[in-house]
Amino acid sequence: MKVAKFGGSSVSSAEQLKKVASIITSDPQRKCIVVSAPGKRHSEDTKVTDLLIQLGERSYYGDEYETVLSLVLERFGDILSNLDLSKELLTEVEDQLRSIVSGETVYTHRMDALKAMGEDTLAKVLSQYLTSLGYDSSYVHPKEAGIIVSNEPGRAQVLDESYERLYELRKRDEILVIPGFFGYTKDDQLMAFPRGGSDITGSIVAAGVKASLYENFTDVDSVYCVNPTIVPNPKEIVELTYKEMRELSYAGFSVFHDEALIPAFKARIPVSIKNTNYPDRKGTMISAERSTAKGQPVVGIASDEGFLSLYVSKYLMNREKGFGRHLLQILEEEDISFEHAPSGIDDMSVIMRSDQLTPEKEAVIVKRIEEELSVDTVTIERNLAMIMIVGEGMDSTIGVSSKAARAFASASVNIEMINQGSSEVSMMFGIKADRLEDAVRSLYQAFFVED
């Protein structure tokens, strides 16, 4: 059995859904289908999820929301019309949306419920369309499927008991269409997953049914070794390991959110990334091991902006037991998470996302560090970018770090911070954000062109 997940661009219109149906029905092993909400049809378009967020915000603040509601219904109405399906579903969708925004139907987190309507409606549409083509297909609600999650609005996590329930889906013979993005708590409350929610659902379902393959269909032929908006026509990655994909996703690769594939990875289910528009192309295969690991030490270069560094210095810091724990505890108590924490004998830096540290929060944290840790220096440097080179072959290859350093020097880019993961799958570099593109191009030249 295969699980196939189709992203927003793949289900953005009736024409795209026809391609999706053709892909599904071309392989009888594709029995479990997970879908996103309709994405953009063109660059000027708006995703259905964004429209639903607007609907929620306008209704919450008492603003006029009928215009946005009409746009949501229009999107689904166009899809139904162009697939020659009954518009009876539209009445049900409108009633549900009005019930949510009015508060008539009570949800623990109303915005989660509104956003979930995009995936939920699209799943019903696709199931109806497959049935109209003569295939045995059923819409399966996440609660019916057995997706049980934690009570954390907007950042729910799947509970282990879900997998045993999901395995029961193997007993069904029809094509099962499941909406992505959300599940239900033990006390029957709808909760949404964090970013990349539909990818998370697909991964959970694949792990639950013990799929032979999890196929993730999107709008690109494969994963590229570097951001194609920085380096035109970069090389494609044919094979990736789970560890490499996790590192690349975390560090800015837009194919997946870094948590999305964890359930499939843990179950050791191979993942194939394919293009809905060109499904016969090879794509990228992600599995536990890759045959090219030794031949190509660096498989990809990821980059992301929006970081800052909290730098703390204190003479004889290394002799002070509990200093690092106390510093991180201050951040925890102020509801700040960190990304990296490189340290020296007398100093320590904590790298975090800039949007977490408002000016007010920064003043509180600096004051607490000065008073509670009696430091010599505490400074904050903003406008940083992180670049990560990733590859399981790095640990057995001499000269990777020196080649990277030469690439930065060639681009006249100063390195602010270096951090290598203990697994030796990745190496992280912190630089000024305004030099990001120059640095990435130089690294690409060094690792993928000159070789």
Side-chain angles (χ1 to χ4, degrees):
M1 175 184 283
K2 296 178 182 178
V3 172
K5 182 265 175 182
F6 292 89
S9 60
S10 301
V11 298
S12 60
S13 66
E15 285 305 308
Q16 287 300 101
L17 281 171
K18 290 176 183 178
K19 297 176 185 177
V20 168
S22 177
I23 291 169
I24 294 169
T25 57
S26 67
D27 187 344
Q29 290 296 308
R30 292 186 178 119
K31 303 296 288 186
C32 287
I33 312 302
V34 176
V35 293
S36 297
K40 291 185 177 184
R41 295 162 292 187
H42 48 80
S43 60
E44 304 302 317
D45 202 9
T46 304
K47 297 178 180 178
V48 165
T49 300
D50 290 338
L51 290 174
L52 291 167
I53 291 171
Q54 290 179 35
L55 176 61
E57 290 175 343
R58 290 192 181 190
S59 63
Y60 179 82
Y61 291 109
D63 297 332
E64 186 275 327
Y65 61 78
E66 290 293 336
T67 302
V68 180
L69 177 59
S70 296
L71 290 173
V72 174
L73 297 174
E74 182 182 312
R75 282 294 298 273
F76 286 113
D78 286 346
I79 291 173
L80 289 167
S81 293
N82 291 320
L83 293 178
D84 295 323
L85 297 176
S86 167
K87 287 192 176 182
E88 185 178 340
L89 176 61
L90 276 185
T91 302
E92 176 189 329
V93 173
E94 181 175 1
D95 289 345
Q96 276 188 271
L97 288 173
R98 291 191 182 281
S99 179
I100 295 170
V101 297
S102 68
E104 181 181 337
T105 303
V106 179
Y107 287 93
T108 301
H109 195 66
R110 186 173 65 163
M111 190 61 83
D112 277 13
L114 275 174
K115 289 188 289 186
M117 285 293 294
E119 281 80 2
D120 198 52
T121 305
L122 198 283
K124 293 175 182 176
V125 171
L126 178 58
S127 180
Q128 287 183 19
Y129 181 55
L130 290 168
T131 300
S132 75
L133 296 176
Y135 295 93
D136 189 8
S137 175
S138 296
Y139 155 80
V140 182
H141 191 269
K143 189 177 359 179
E144 178 190 352
I147 301 175
I148 311 301
V149 300
S150 61
N151 193 344
E152 299 174 272
R155 52 192 181 94
Q157 298 183 62
V158 66
L159 302 185
D160 287 343
E161 62 200 74
S162 300
Y163 297 111
E164 186 175 343
R165 299 188 186 193
L166 283 162
Y167 190 75
E168 295 297 307
L169 296 177
R170 293 186 68 99
K171 297 178 181 179
R172 299 176 64 168
D173 294 327
E174 73 270 39
I175 299 170
L176 307 177
V177 185
I178 305 168
F181 184 65
F182 67 103
Y184 277 78
T185 64
K186 290 181 178 179
D187 60 354
D188 230 18
Q189 293 297 314
L190 185 154
M191 294 288 157
F193 293 118
R195 292 180 303 167
S198 293
D199 287 325
I200 294 173
T201 300
S203 185
I204 290 168
V205 172
V209 302
K210 301 188 186 307
S212 59
L213 180 66
Y214 171 36
E215 298 176 303
N216 195 293
F217 286 89
T218 180
D219 57 0
V220 295
D221 289 343
S222 62
V223 177
Y224 297 104
C225 65
V226 70
N227 187 338
T229 65
I230 297 177
V231 177
N233 303 312
K235 293 182 178 180
E236 297 179 358
I237 303 175
V238 176
E239 292 179 279
L240 276 172
T241 67
Y242 297 145
K243 285 183 179 180
E244 289 168 341
M245 189 69 232
R246 169 107 163 97
E247 295 280 357
L248 289 169
S249 297
Y250 160 76
F253 262 44
S254 60
V255 178
F256 293 111
H257 181 254
D258 61 297
E259 298 177 11
L261 296 181
I262 291 176
F265 290 176
K266 285 183 176 179
R268 299 183 74 82
I269 294 167
V271 179
S272 175
I273 300 172
K274 306 274 279 184
N275 192 334
T276 303
N277 301 308
Y278 304 99
D280 294 331
R281 293 182 180 175
K282 191 169 185 179
T284 299
M285 182 66 73
I286 309 170
S287 55
E289 298 179 353
R290 62 180 172 95
S291 59
T292 57
K294 293 182 180 179
Q296 177 62 46
V298 174
V299 71
I301 303 167
S303 56
D304 203 6
E305 298 182 32
F307 293 91
L308 63 78
S309 173
L310 171 67
Y311 174 79
V312 177
S313 175
K314 185 177 183 180
Y315 183 59
L316 297 180
M317 179 191 294
N318 62 314
R319 294 190 184 182
E320 189 171 331
K321 294 183 174 127
F323 184 93
R325 176 197 56 77
H326 195 164
L327 174 60
L328 296 179
Q329 183 179 347
I330 291 173
L331 296 178
E332 179 185 355
E333 290 172 357
E334 298 299 333
D335 197 30
I336 300 292
S337 61
F338 74 98
E339 307 291 326
H340 308 278
S343 63
I345 298 175
D346 295 324
D347 53 19
M348 182 174 180
S349 294
V350 182
I351 309 299
M352 62 190 77
R353 297 280 179 177
S354 301
D355 57 8
Q356 293 189 97
L357 212 60
T358 62
E360 295 78 17
K361 185 78 75 173
E362 177 179 326
V364 170
I365 288 174
V366 169
K367 183 178 180 182
R368 286 194 60 183
I369 291 173
E370 290 174 338
E371 293 178 352
E372 297 176 32
L373 296 175
S374 301
V375 298
D376 300 325
T377 305
V378 54
T379 58
I380 292 175
E381 183 178 7
R382 293 181 178 269
N383 300 317
L384 295 179
M386 295 294 146
I387 299 177
M388 182 182 284
I389 57 175
V390 175
E392 289 213 31
M394 287 169 53
D395 63 342
S396 58
T397 304
I398 297 172
V400 173
S401 58
S402 63
K403 181 182 283 190
R406 287 196 300 272
F408 282 107
S410 176
S412 300
V413 175
N414 188 48
I415 300 172
E416 307 288 331
M417 182 273 290
I418 301 177
N419 190 29
Q420 182 163 11
S422 57
S423 64
E424 297 188 9
V425 176
S426 64
M427 189 177 295
M428 177 79 75
F429 300 89
I431 64 170
K432 296 291 187 182
D434 61 359
R435 302 307 315 279
L436 176 64
E437 295 192 0
D438 290 337
V440 169
R441 291 190 190 103
S442 187
L443 286 166
Y444 178 79
Q445 182 73 22
F447 286 103
F448 294 98
V449 178
E450 292 174 359
D451 284 349

